[in-house]
Amino acid sequence: MSATEVRIRPRTARPSTPPPGPAGRHRVPRLHPYAARVLTELSARVPWEAEFLQAVEEVFESVSVVLEQSPHYETERVLERIVEPERVIAFRVVWTDDAHRINVHRGYRVQFNSALGPYKGGTRFHASVTLDSLKFLGFEQTFKNALTGLPLGGGKGGADLPARGLSEDELMRFCQSYMTELYRHIGPDTDVPAGDVGVGTREIGHLFGQYKRLTRTFNGSLTGKAAEWGGSRLRPEATGYGVAYFLQEVLRSRGESLDGLTVAVSGFGNVAWGAAKKMTEMGGRVVTLSGPDGFVHDPAGVSGEKIDYMLTMRHSGRDAVKDYADRFGVDFHPGRRPWVVPCDVALPCAIQNELDTPDAEALLANGCRYVVEGANMPTTRGALRVLREGGLVFVPGKAANAGGVAISGLEMAQNRACETWPAERIDASLQAIMTSIHEICTGAAERYGRSGDYVLGANIGGFVRVAEAMIDQGAV
Ligand code: GLU
């Protein structure tokens, strides 16, 4: 199929009657007056933190129905407390490149909430990293981690480093410099960082090496370690596999299966890789991948050696998917996103706000029935409204992509016990955790009369667990 043959309908062509969705249409709930007041105060205090405010508003909308029935949250000032990170660490990261030039970057760790356990969350090395983006990610992480049912608080860190394009040596020096500041703030009982965009097993290795050198301890202060020296089996696959398992639960609850469904995936990193691998195994056909340079359309499906090639692309240091098109002779659409390709399931797995209102309209117009967030908050507010009101099933990242941090939780447990669990045990636990998150979401949505609303269910399920723990632990 050539570039022009992709059945792309005009981005504004919204059908007068959207296709009937299995979920029913979900009106975006109105804010409870208490939530509205706290959000107004927060917006006045940090008006420049657009992504953080976006994440807070979405959670506040969902929990408004809870606030109506549980006035004690207002008396306890839970919302005021829950939007305030417990601690923010900001530091300078200086390193010398291969040409002996000195480079300066900004490093952060946002220790958001420890009501349920030590701060836990990834480390992102990406040009887009700011305190704002890490606050939104730490906030989301808090509720995601709560949904796993494991004893994990929420945190996030990173640096504004365009990691791709650095040599191996440069990357190692950068990681060492980052850890030279961070090491004093983390620990197995305090804060346990992991990987995220731009940080995989290789970077965790360099970070861990420096941590060990500075502290003279070999412990579980980081997760995402290589399986041969303290990591967990299946950790690299866990986020993507978890997305596939969650989707399977959603489909099962509607009497469907992945078999024969067409899936549009964005990104080509860790989440996209794991999801493509597992969904293909389950009979789905992944027809797109994307990068900052555009998207590839592979109607025959990304399977077999093509999935392995995703890893090669990731390790090449080139932030581009065009190589895939060149290698496998499929179409490449420069500068475009994959949401114009007809699909049953859309899986945004790249970065925040990568799916906007026209994209959402194109998905609906093309008959897409499920949007499952593999990335954290990849859907803009406008797109979310269109998708929820348009009647397709929408699953937010904090539910769908919780599998990664869940297996990090199991890595912490293995480190504490000095054990290495077999892959089968990890996989069974991952499936059980994703099934349980699905039950929490559907149960909470049903309880509040919004059956099938996964946004509401995930936010309420995560929020109530964190809020109750905060109240139990007093005004701290
Ligand atoms: N970065 C992943 C996430 O967004 C994993 C975090 C972790 O394993 O701590 O959930």
Side-chain angles (χ1 to χ4, degrees):
M1 199 185 265
S2 82
T4 46
E5 278 176 298
V6 176
R7 279 178 286 134
I8 298 171
R9 300 197 195 161
R11 294 182 123 210
T12 46
R14 180 111 185 261
S16 47
T17 34
R25 297 172 211 298
H26 296 296
R27 198 177 29 81
V28 174
R30 249 212 305 274
L31 278 178
H32 184 277
Y34 168 44
R37 178 171 55 73
V38 176
L39 184 63
T40 306
E41 286 165 7
L42 188 67
S43 313
R45 199 161 48 250
V46 287
W48 54 86
E49 292 185 348
E51 290 178 338
F52 178 50
L53 293 169
Q54 178 185 344
V56 171
E57 189 172 0
E58 186 209 289
V59 171
F60 277 16
E61 278 169 359
S62 295
V63 303
S64 282
V65 286
V66 181
L67 299 174
E68 241 159 64
Q69 295 179 15
S70 311
H72 71 294
Y73 289 135
E74 184 167 359
T75 329
E76 294 281 349
R77 304 197 73 187
V78 166
L79 295 187
E80 289 90 333
R81 289 198 268 158
I82 219 163
V83 296
E84 223 42 75
E86 289 177 18
R87 191 172 302 102
V88 173
I89 299 145
F91 50 97
R92 185 170 70 190
V93 187
V94 180
W95 59 286
T96 307
D97 62 25
D98 291 344
H100 307 290
R101 271 190 309 261
I102 291 174
N103 290 265
V104 184
H105 288 270
R106 284 132 295 272
Y108 308 91
R109 185 77 189 163
V110 178
Q111 298 182 330
F112 218 106
N113 193 302
S114 63
L116 294 176
Y119 310 107
K120 181 82 198 87
T123 306
R124 181 172 289 196
F125 290 167
H126 191 263
S128 68
V129 166
T130 58
L131 186 53
D132 170 25
S133 64
L134 294 177
K135 278 180 72 178
F136 115 66
L137 288 162
F139 182 73
E140 290 277 296
Q141 193 84 43
T142 300
F143 304 110
K144 181 197 315 196
N145 294 1
L147 285 169
T148 66
L150 300 170
L152 304 170
K156 200 87 181 191
D160 55 352
L161 176 80
R164 297 181 206 274
L166 265 65
S167 71
E168 288 271 346
D169 281 354
E170 288 174 334
L171 201 53
M172 182 177 74
R173 286 197 293 275
F174 180 84
C175 289
Q176 289 176 342
S177 181
Y178 180 84
M179 185 51 81
T180 300
E181 183 56 40
L182 188 68
Y183 83 94
R184 63 189 98 240
H185 306 289
I186 63 173
D189 301 314
T190 319
D191 184 358
V192 184
D196 195 79
V197 177
V199 179
T201 314
R202 173 180 52 181
E203 291 77 17
I204 291 292
H206 297 326
L207 292 165
F208 184 82
Q210 185 72 349
Y211 175 84
K212 193 183 63 169
R213 175 157 75 163
L214 292 167
T215 61
R216 291 171 293 135
T217 37
F218 193 115
N219 63 22
S221 285
L222 289 162
T223 61
K225 303 184 289 297
E228 295 71 26
W229 48 266
S232 175
R233 306 265 173 234
L234 281 195
R235 178 62 191 86
E237 290 86 351
T239 312
Y241 278 22
V243 172
Y245 291 146
F246 198 95
L247 174 61
Q248 190 179 41
E249 283 304 309
V250 174
L251 291 166
R252 193 177 286 152
S253 69
R254 288 168 169 75
E256 277 202 74
S257 85
L258 244 170
D259 203 20
L261 297 192
T262 301
V263 188
V265 171
S266 67
F268 67 97
N270 177 261
V271 186
W273 167 73
K277 207 168 152 188
K278 188 49 81 181
M279 288 189 305
T280 306
E281 247 176 71
M282 291 172 167
R285 192 160 46 96
V286 175
V287 293
T288 63
L289 296 174
S290 75
D293 55 335
F295 80 89
V296 292
H297 185 207
D298 187 350
V302 182
S303 59
E305 60 156 333
K306 293 170 174 174
I307 293 177
D308 300 336
Y309 189 69
M310 291 170 77
L311 291 178
T312 312
M313 285 198 293
R314 227 165 86 218
H315 284 118
S316 75
R318 285 164 38 74
D319 201 2
V321 282
K322 185 174 178 301
D323 296 356
Y324 180 102
D326 295 342
R327 168 137 183 166
F328 298 111
V330 300
D331 285 335
F332 174 63
H333 301 265
R336 304 196 66 184
R337 296 164 174 170
W339 315 126
V340 287
V341 173
C343 60
D344 300 298
V345 183
L347 222 80
C349 293
I351 199 98
Q352 66 264 24
N353 291 328
E354 55 157 317
L355 196 162
D356 62 16
T357 304
D359 295 325
E361 286 166 348
L363 285 171
L364 277 175
N366 278 334
C368 175
R369 294 179 295 131
Y370 300 93
V371 174
V372 181
E373 292 188 328
N376 294 309
M377 205 172 75
T379 313
T380 65
R381 295 273 309 151
L384 184 58
R385 185 176 290 270
V386 168
L387 295 172
R388 291 176 79 188
E389 293 180 353
L392 55 62
V393 180
F394 179 88
V395 183
K398 61 172 77 70
N401 73 33
V405 76
I407 301 311
S408 275
L410 300 192
E411 184 171 330
M412 289 163 72
Q414 290 170 82
N415 290 166
R416 282 185 200 285
C418 269
E419 286 177 3
T420 305
W421 301 342
E424 298 69 37
R425 175 169 174 187
I426 304 287
D427 197 35
S429 301
L430 177 61
Q431 292 190 44
I433 290 169
M434 298 316 291
T435 304
S436 145
I437 297 176
H438 184 263
E439 272 165 20
I440 293 170
C441 293
T442 49
E446 243 160 59
R447 230 178 351 272
Y448 290 94
R450 307 266 300 206
S451 203
D453 187 340
Y454 286 95
V455 175
L456 192 100
N459 284 328
I460 292 178
F463 172 84
V464 169
R465 189 163 178 236
V466 177
E468 290 299 329
M470 287 173 74
I471 294 170
D472 288 349
Q473 291 167 28
V476 293

